[in-house]
Amino acid sequence: MEYPIRINKYLKEKGFCSRRQADRFIEEGRVEINGKPAELGQQVEGGDVVEVDKKVAEAPENYQYYLFNKPQDVVSINPQRGEVGPYTTAPELEGTSPVGRLDKDSRGLMLFTDDGRIVNKLLNPKFDHEKEYRVKVNKPLSPNFKKRMENGIDIEGYTTKPATLRILGDKIFSITLTEGKKHQIRRMVTALGYEVEDLKRTRIMNLKINNLKEGDIRPLTEQEKEKLLSSLGVSR
């Protein structure tokens, strides 16, 4: 952990709670830094003693992990006025945060948790963790579409990492990425002269969407949890 660090991020990185929960605890006066009430946005320095409810912040014994099938038009995080967020659609997710996002026009699998230990390990592209998407475009795919997408596409000066692609239909393909640049698939497709009509994430590492209905959530099974954490090098 690099210092100084914002108090809500500190509590998240410690695996104590989500940033959202941390801010709520601070507003309720339950968080102290070196014996004094913490303020929203306050910085924690190395050696500071952070307490929640007069106890040194430690990770909870039982973390929560949920899969959420995000519908189109739901905003992954920080919805603005008039927008719908995951916590409105699935209030059971309160107390957890999304690990990675899907843009408003995309749909599919998202992981929510209060386990701050896994965030960087799952999102950092250097770890090459796979995410799979099903994509429909506006016109038939060309004969060299697969090869060009797999080899990497120049999107505004950045060449995407090699990907794996399966053709599923005249205008439909599945693509597996190990990175997550902003609007990456849409930008890759646009660079080749196509437009995305539908984009759905179907897998995050060993976690699959399967029969999870749109707008629904479910907790990870013990087997899914064990495999995920083991792959990320995190103890249970």
Side-chain angles (χ1 to χ4, degrees):
M1 191 180 298
E2 294 184 4
Y3 296 95
I5 183 172
R6 289 170 67 93
I7 178 63
N8 60 356
K9 186 177 181 182
Y10 174 90
L11 291 173
K12 180 178 180 180
E13 292 295 319
K14 280 287 187 181
F16 182 80
C17 62
S18 68
R19 290 192 189 190
R20 188 186 184 94
Q21 279 181 307
D23 286 341
R24 185 159 60 242
F25 291 162
I26 293 166
E27 289 175 338
E28 292 171 355
R30 297 169 57 185
V31 182
E32 294 184 352
I33 300 177
N34 300 325
K36 297 180 180 180
E39 299 179 359
L40 290 172
Q42 187 172 346
Q43 300 285 322
V44 177
E45 301 284 352
D48 285 347
V49 177
V50 178
E51 295 178 297
V52 179
D53 295 333
K54 301 296 183 180
K55 297 179 181 179
V56 175
E58 297 177 350
E61 294 182 2
N62 297 307
Y63 294 107
Q64 300 180 78
Y65 308 85
Y66 290 103
L67 294 181
F68 173 54
N69 186 349
K70 185 187 93 66
Q72 193 176 33
D73 295 329
V74 169
V75 179
S76 293
I77 193 169
N78 296 329
Q80 303 303 307
R81 180 174 299 198
E83 294 181 327
V84 176
Y87 305 102
T88 302
T89 305
E92 301 93 332
L93 294 175
E94 282 285 354
T96 65
S97 301
V99 185
R101 306 179 184 184
L102 281 174
D103 63 61
K104 184 176 179 180
D105 294 328
S106 301
R107 58 195 181 101
L109 195 63
M110 294 185 67
L111 173 64
F112 281 73
T113 184
D114 55 3
D115 186 352
R117 302 172 302 165
I118 73 171
V119 177
N120 181 63
K121 290 179 178 290
L122 186 55
L123 297 183
N124 195 319
K126 75 177 183 181
F127 295 116
D128 289 332
H129 297 312
E130 293 185 346
K131 297 181 182 69
E132 188 172 353
Y133 304 79
R134 184 182 182 277
V135 187
K136 180 181 179 182
V137 294
N138 63 324
K139 60 184 180 181
L141 304 173
S142 66
N144 66 346
F145 182 87
K146 180 177 185 295
K147 182 177 180 180
R148 293 183 68 185
M149 289 284 283
E150 287 187 327
N151 288 344
I153 301 293
D154 186 317
I155 49 174
E156 300 168 27
Y158 173 80
T159 300
T160 60
K161 295 173 68 173
T164 302
L165 190 140
R166 292 184 295 125
I167 303 298
L168 303 178
D170 192 34
K171 303 178 182 178
I172 303 172
F173 64 93
S174 170
I175 186 169
T176 301
L177 303 178
T178 57
E179 60 182 342
K181 297 293 182 182
K182 187 174 182 180
H183 304 309
Q184 179 171 335
I185 295 175
R186 295 181 185 276
R187 293 162 69 191
M188 292 171 72
V189 164
T190 298
L192 296 184
Y194 297 81
E195 293 180 9
V196 170
E197 291 188 342
D198 183 59
L199 193 158
K200 179 180 181 181
R201 184 156 63 199
T202 58
R203 179 171 66 89
I204 301 171
M205 294 179 65
N206 64 297
L207 309 175
K208 299 179 180 179
I209 199 165
N210 291 332
N211 298 320
L212 184 63
K213 294 181 179 179
E214 208 165 84
D216 284 356
I217 69 168
R218 71 165 178 82
L220 267 61
T221 65
E222 287 301 313
Q223 185 177 10
E224 287 174 329
K225 191 188 306 180
E226 184 174 347
K227 186 171 182 180
L228 175 69
L229 297 180
S230 176
S231 298
L232 295 173
V234 175
S235 60
R236 296 201 56 177

